[in-house]
Amino acid sequence: MLLPATPDPKHLRPRIQRIQEELFNYREQGLRGFATSSFQSNSVVLLHLIARFWPTLPVWFLNTGFHFPETLSFRRGLAVRFGLDIRDARSPVSRAQQRDASGRLLFTTDPDHCCHLNKVLPLDPVIAAAQLWINGVRASQSAERAAMAREGTGRGGIRRYHPLIDWTGAEVEHYLNGHDLPRHPLEEQGYGSVGCEPCTRRPAGGDLDDRSGRWSGQNKTECGLHVGGGS
Amino acid sequence: MRVLITGGAGYLGTELVRALARAPEVDEVVVYDNLSRRNYNLMLGPPLSEGRDTRIRLVVADVLDTRRLRAALDGVDVVIHLAARVTTPFAEGDFHALEQVNHWGTAELSYALEERRGSVRRLIHLSSTAVYGQSEGEATLDTAPTPATAYGISKLRGERMVERLGSDLDLFLVRCGNIYGYSRSLRFDAVINRFLLDAHLGRRITVEGSGEQRRAFVHVDRAAAAISRMALGELEPGRFHLLDRNLSVLEIRDALLQLYPDLESLYIAQDLPRRSLIVAPDPRLAGPLPPLAEELAAFRTHFSFD
């Protein structure tokens, strides 16, 4: 287990204590669990908590093939630093088969289908083989996420656990600063939420709650991974 | 040693296959190419390597074909990534088409290599001097890239995708100038080749802009020889400039005038300022350099009639 070098920020301690207990209970029940992470600054809190309280938990990274190289390097650096079991989920559909009728990659004409092939589909076998899915969605990030509870049910009836659902962007900042944790390298260039390169724009003055750079200019706000299934 | 060359059936690829198939330490050259330019000349004509052509194997597939790419990397020690969409120095193409191959195609290769960490020990990635955009002075390896074209941007993004693999393997990041010179897979959309063809056929070339714009150029044989040295481990990994010299369009015309004294030049939009790019040649790749006119005269002998 990776022990924090510094104590948790005081006002966050009760919540961290609760997460520790909840994770302990899931483990006690013998649930086959996994986490997903998009390896942004936001994600570092959950990854750090997993390293502290459930270090053997598999963490799946949806390697869509369209990430910024900075994200891919950040993922590798965190895997080493936190000693986590990070695995890549990739689309079963070859990139060459992900082109539209005019030969263009799907993100140029049908981003929903692109997300389906590269984010939703690759996780299906992982979900099918597990009983608990832990992820770091927060209510303050979007209307869809605000409607989620701490526990819910996801696709295929899997149990979902959202330990950070009630955390604000400022609290994430406190945790990151309190433990001197690394930030996604694009943050200093003004990026807030970082997803796939083709569908991420640099918002003006983004913070950790700001997802306006994701699918910017589109009505789309979620990839489909966290919606559907009654969560 | 088994070497895989993406885009290996292309212009530079053909000469590189020739060079590597002759090297005694190379057991197999895997040519991975989707033949998108419908150039089949690699497979036609006299043998490339004096009896060693049996060591050449062609895989017809796209660099975006995740499954075939991964399978083709089985047992491969060295990868040379040439597959790319290219524009001529004076034209812009479809931005997405450039991105799709030069950025995301390179990304696919980087994932496949990452997955096989430790098996492929050397990667030679062909980038372009176009990543520098234009220059006031001479662009050196320390100059920050500021691409000015969609092609240059896509090549820079490709570089960034492989740079992150630098701790996994020996990475040669090669910024290459515009290629010219005879090859059986040559392209006539490369400016010097185009000019020679036009001069030979009609004694007339067309110059866009003032003709004073400069670019970096490298002869295909010297480019193939340099990359072959990298593949065979004769050079230390790192970032390279692969070019012989910087030439203006008017200097190319002057060399042609030595071969074709009656050559005419037509100018289009000669008041239009065109950007220049001057790139520092790499001392690690320096060697004897014949005058351009001499090289063009050698090229001219490949035309079957005057």
Side-chain angles (χ1 to χ4, degrees):
Chain A
M1 180 185 293
L2 184 86
L3 293 171
T6 46
D8 290 314
K10 199 170 175 185
H11 65 291
L12 294 175
R13 282 180 204 166
R15 276 198 264 178
I16 292 165
Q17 177 73 28
R18 182 180 173 192
I19 292 168
Q20 183 175 7
E21 285 163 10
E22 286 166 342
L23 287 173
F24 181 80
N25 288 336
Y26 289 129
R27 290 176 76 175
E28 282 292 288
Q29 290 170 48
L31 291 180
R32 280 194 309 275
F34 71 95
T36 50
S37 177
S38 55
F39 290 88
Q40 309 184 36
S41 295
N42 252 317
S43 320
V44 175
V45 175
L46 179 64
L47 294 171
H48 193 244
L49 292 171
I50 290 170
R52 288 170 64 184
F53 305 133
W54 197 344
T56 56
L57 186 77
V59 178
W60 287 88
F61 170 63
L62 286 155
N63 191 343
T64 62
F66 294 118
H67 286 290
F68 289 89
E70 288 85 351
T71 303
L72 301 171
S73 299
F74 192 52
R75 168 203 56 167
R76 270 174 81 164
L78 286 177
V80 173
R81 175 162 173 175
F82 291 170
L84 292 167
D85 175 10
I86 293 173
R87 306 171 183 189
D88 274 17
R90 300 172 190 276
S91 181
V93 182
S94 182
R95 194 76 50 206
Q97 302 298 328
Q98 295 189 23
R99 292 187 276 214
D100 68 11
S102 342
R104 298 167 78 83
L105 288 168
L106 288 170
F107 65 75
T108 65
T109 49
D110 192 350
D112 282 332
H113 195 52
C114 190
C115 281
H116 179 74
L117 294 183
N118 292 300
K119 294 184 110 175
V120 179
L121 219 52
L123 207 59
D124 276 348
V126 178
I127 291 173
Q131 297 158 312
L132 175 70
W133 174 7
I134 301 171
N135 64 73
V137 295
R138 294 188 294 104
S140 55
Q141 290 174 316
S142 71
E144 288 89 348
R145 294 178 183 204
M148 293 179 187
R150 194 171 185 84
E151 260 216 26
T153 309
R155 282 183 297 125
I158 192 165
R159 199 159 163 188
R160 286 178 61 119
Y161 170 49
H162 311 132
L164 304 178
I165 192 73
D166 55 350
W167 287 45
T168 63
E171 286 160 343
V172 169
E173 291 277 3
H174 289 154
Y175 189 92
L176 294 176
N177 293 337
H179 288 293
D180 195 22
L181 295 174
R183 309 292 188 119
H184 191 291
L186 288 177
E187 197 180 301
E188 63 184 19
Q189 292 179 34
Y191 284 89
S193 181
V194 179
C196 291
E197 190 268 355
C199 290
T200 301
R201 277 179 78 84
R202 186 176 5 208
D207 59 30
L208 289 180
D209 277 343
D210 188 355
R211 284 173 58 86
S212 65
R214 305 289 297 278
W215 303 285
S216 175
Q218 302 175 37
N219 294 328
K220 184 176 172 64
T221 56
E222 291 282 347
C223 63
L225 199 60
H226 300 302
V227 292
S231 69
Chain B
M1 176 192 296
R2 182 178 288 168
V3 183
L4 179 138
I5 310 175
T6 70
Y11 183 11
L12 174 57
T14 296
E15 296 315 308
L16 198 49
V17 171
R18 184 197 302 277
L20 287 171
R22 290 171 187 223
E25 55 268 67
V26 174
D27 302 308
E28 187 177 44
V29 180
V30 182
V31 177
Y32 188 96
D33 200 304
N34 66 356
L35 303 175
S36 65
R37 295 180 62 85
R38 302 206 167 110
N39 162 28
Y40 309 106
N41 293 326
L42 175 78
M43 292 78 81
L44 302 171
L48 287 162
S49 62
E50 295 152 357
R52 292 173 61 92
D53 281 22
T54 50
R55 305 186 186 205
I56 302 169
R57 179 162 61 92
L58 175 68
V59 177
V60 182
D62 197 311
V63 73
L64 287 155
D65 188 333
T66 316
R67 185 173 58 82
R68 284 199 176 87
L69 182 63
R70 274 156 209 254
L73 286 170
D74 267 345
V76 167
D77 307 290
V78 178
V79 172
I80 304 172
H81 181 42
L82 309 181
R85 284 279 173 93
V86 183
T87 58
T88 59
F90 310 110
E92 277 282 273
D94 170 1
F95 199 165
H96 176 70
L98 296 167
E99 274 286 287
Q100 185 179 114
V101 178
N102 302 346
H103 180 187
W104 299 118
T106 302
E108 279 306 308
L109 176 64
S110 79
Y111 310 139
L113 292 172
E114 196 171 22
E115 215 172 58
R116 291 172 173 269
R117 224 172 293 168
S119 87
V120 173
R121 63 176 195 267
R122 200 171 289 145
L123 169 65
I124 297 129
H125 173 72
L126 200 80
S127 183
S128 166
T129 53
V131 299
Y132 294 116
Q134 57 191 347
S135 59
E136 287 302 318
E138 192 179 58
T140 70
L141 284 164
D142 296 324
T143 303
T146 50
T149 59
Y151 173 70
I153 291 169
S154 69
K155 291 301 281 186
L156 183 60
R157 288 183 169 175
E159 281 190 11
R160 300 263 151 90
M161 275 293 168
V162 294
E163 270 178 328
R164 67 191 183 82
L165 302 178
S167 58
D168 296 345
L169 40 67
D170 285 345
L171 175 64
F172 294 78
L173 208 154
V174 183
R175 291 177 177 157
C176 186
N178 295 285
I179 296 175
Y180 68 96
Y182 178 77
S183 158
R184 68 202 212 187
S185 290
L186 91 175
R187 295 173 40 184
F188 278 114
D189 52 356
V191 62
I192 292 181
N193 295 354
R194 176 87 242 164
F195 274 11
L196 183 66
L197 181 70
D198 289 347
H200 192 81
L201 296 182
R203 300 294 192 270
R204 184 181 274 176
I205 60 169
T206 303
V207 176
E208 289 183 9
S210 68
E212 285 161 359
Q213 62 271 30
R214 302 176 80 82
R215 291 290 188 282
F217 290 93
V218 60
H219 192 281
V220 66
D221 289 345
R222 278 188 296 276
I227 294 172
S228 170
R229 287 176 64 199
M230 295 172 193
L232 298 175
E234 294 169 17
L235 291 163
E236 289 297 312
R239 200 175 278 169
F240 287 82
H241 279 171
L242 181 49
L243 66 125
D244 296 328
R245 54 192 141 205
N246 297 278
L247 294 166
S248 72
V249 174
L250 296 181
E251 285 168 338
I252 300 167
R253 179 206 59 186
D254 290 347
L256 285 166
L257 275 168
Q258 294 179 44
L259 272 68
Y260 305 96
D262 55 344
L263 179 73
E264 294 182 297
S265 301
L266 303 182
Y267 293 91
I268 293 177
Q270 51 183 315
D271 294 333
L272 187 69
R274 304 299 301 257
R275 70 192 164 79
S276 269
L277 173 61
I278 302 162
V279 181
D282 200 316
R284 292 166 294 180
L285 305 177
L289 189 60
L292 178 62
E294 202 175 288
E295 289 184 327
L296 294 178
F299 189 158
R300 186 184 182 178
T301 63
H302 290 280
F303 289 117
S304 46
F305 58 89
D306 272 338

